[in-house]
Amino acid sequence: MNNVVGKLLIVLQLVFSLLFMCFAGAVYSFTQSWRTKAETAMTSVAERDRQINELKESHTQELDARKVENEQLNQRATEAEAGLAQVQANIRTLQGELAQTQQQRDKHLADLQVAQAEADARIAETNELRAETKKLRDTVSLQISEIQDQEDRNLVYSGLVAEAKEREVGALKEIGRLQDLLRQNKIDPRKAVVGPVPPEITRVEGKVLGTKQNESRSAELIHVSIGRDDYVSEDMTMDVYRENQYLGRIRITDVYADSAVGILIERTRNGVIERGDNVTTKL
């Protein structure tokens, strides 16, 4: 019985020894595993600490950079505020200058409108003066033309007066000679001749020296190359022709020694009379 119990105890002791060995092996394995994990964890923690330190250092550097940048931004903001204040002051100054400029512009526009109105008035006045000046020039030209015509007539009349004086002197001499001749023939020169003595009209030919209108432009004056010396007298009629073409008839109004002036009788006009055409007392 005791042997059995002793054997049983030995067996139990052996069993417990095996269990303890197994347990010890399990504990050792577990301990090794946790040591490895712990070392790995410590290594990881150390790496994390290093990374954290690097991150802290980087964060610190970044914070410093941000502080420097913030200071720079604050300084720039301060300068910008000062610049903005200066710009606002400049804007206010420019606004004042702009208001003055606008006032000056309005004043200049008003002055310009007044000047434009005055210029328009001056232009209208100038146009009126030009029209009046043109009218005066035309009047002066007409008066000058009339003066020239009057001077021409005066010259003609002066020549006629001188010629008339010469004829008068010659006539007086001729009358004296004829009176002496009558007295020598015992004829009283104071007695009138009984009965009219019609003048003999002889054929006289000449040329047209020129044509022009009279002052009233109501008739055409014809200047011919034959006159008193050719037996041409006032109110005598003469015919004008060119070769075989009859051009019209003129009535003599002014007679000179070697020329005469006549008026064209319009009802007899048969063409345009020109310088060089022929005139005659008979056709």
Side-chain angles (χ1 to χ4, degrees):
M1 182 74 176
N2 289 330
N3 289 331
V4 174
V5 173
K7 291 179 179 181
L8 183 59
L9 289 173
I10 291 170
V11 171
L12 290 174
Q13 186 177 1
L14 181 60
V15 170
F16 284 130
S17 296
L18 290 172
L19 290 172
F20 181 75
M21 288 177 66
C22 291
F23 182 74
V27 169
Y28 179 76
S29 298
F30 183 75
T31 302
Q32 288 296 327
S33 176
W34 275 101
R35 181 178 295 175
T36 301
K37 291 181 178 180
E39 290 177 356
T40 302
M42 290 179 66
T43 302
S44 176
V45 169
E47 182 66 24
R48 295 292 177 83
D49 291 337
R50 186 183 64 78
Q51 291 178 357
I52 289 171
N53 291 329
E54 289 179 356
L55 290 173
K56 286 182 178 180
E57 185 177 357
S58 176
H59 182 66
T60 301
Q61 292 177 357
E62 187 175 356
L63 286 176
D64 293 337
R66 292 290 183 273
K67 287 180 180 179
V68 173
E69 186 178 357
N70 192 18
E71 290 177 356
Q72 292 177 354
L73 291 174
N74 289 331
Q75 185 178 0
R76 290 174 61 184
T78 302
E79 292 176 355
E81 289 177 354
L84 179 61
Q86 183 65 32
V87 170
Q88 290 177 349
N90 292 335
I91 289 173
R92 288 191 293 270
T93 302
L94 290 174
Q95 288 177 347
E97 293 178 355
L98 178 61
Q100 293 178 357
T101 303
Q102 289 176 347
Q103 291 178 355
Q104 293 178 357
R105 181 201 62 187
D106 296 337
K107 182 178 179 182
H108 290 327
L109 287 175
D111 295 338
L112 181 61
Q113 291 177 353
V114 173
Q116 184 66 36
E118 292 179 354
D120 293 337
R122 295 292 181 273
I123 290 172
E125 184 178 357
T126 302
N127 292 331
E128 292 178 357
L129 289 175
R130 285 178 179 174
E132 186 175 356
T133 302
K134 184 178 182 300
K135 185 185 295 184
L136 291 174
R137 285 178 178 175
D138 294 339
T139 303
V140 169
S141 298
L142 182 60
Q143 290 178 353
I144 290 174
S145 178
E146 292 178 354
I147 290 172
Q148 290 176 349
D149 292 339
Q150 186 67 34
E151 289 178 351
D152 293 339
R153 288 195 296 272
N154 289 337
L155 290 174
V156 173
Y157 292 151
S158 297
L160 292 175
V161 170
E163 185 180 354
K165 288 181 179 180
E166 292 178 359
R167 289 199 306 270
E168 182 181 5
V169 172
L172 290 175
K173 290 180 180 180
E174 182 67 17
I175 290 171
R177 186 183 68 81
L178 293 175
Q179 287 179 350
D180 293 338
L181 182 62
L182 291 173
R183 290 190 185 97
Q184 290 176 2
N185 290 286
K186 296 180 180 181
I187 298 174
D188 188 358
R190 291 175 294 180
K191 291 183 179 181
V193 178
V194 178
V197 180
E200 182 182 0
I201 300 176
T202 60
R203 180 183 178 86
V204 180
E205 295 184 350
K207 296 288 185 179
V208 174
L209 299 178
T211 65
K212 70 173 184 177
Q213 297 289 327
N214 61 357
E215 293 182 358
S216 62
R217 297 185 179 276
S218 60
E220 185 175 2
L221 301 178
I222 310 299
H223 188 196
V224 298
S225 63
I226 51 179
R228 185 177 296 105
D229 295 342
D230 302 304
Y231 305 103
V232 176
S233 60
E234 294 183 1
D235 294 329
M236 179 183 288
T237 59
M238 304 179 71
D239 296 311
V240 184
Y241 64 95
R242 184 184 304 133
E243 294 179 355
N244 295 326
Q245 180 185 1
Y246 175 75
L247 299 176
R249 178 169 294 178
I250 62 175
R251 180 176 57 81
I252 301 301
T253 58
D254 298 296
V255 182
Y256 312 118
D258 56 355
S259 65
V261 176
I263 296 178
L264 175 64
I265 302 173
E266 286 295 332
R267 68 176 180 273
T268 66
R269 181 189 291 272
N270 192 35
V272 178
I273 298 176
E274 298 177 350
R275 178 184 177 89
D277 290 339
N278 301 310
V279 293
T280 181
T281 55
K282 286 184 178 182
L283 280 180

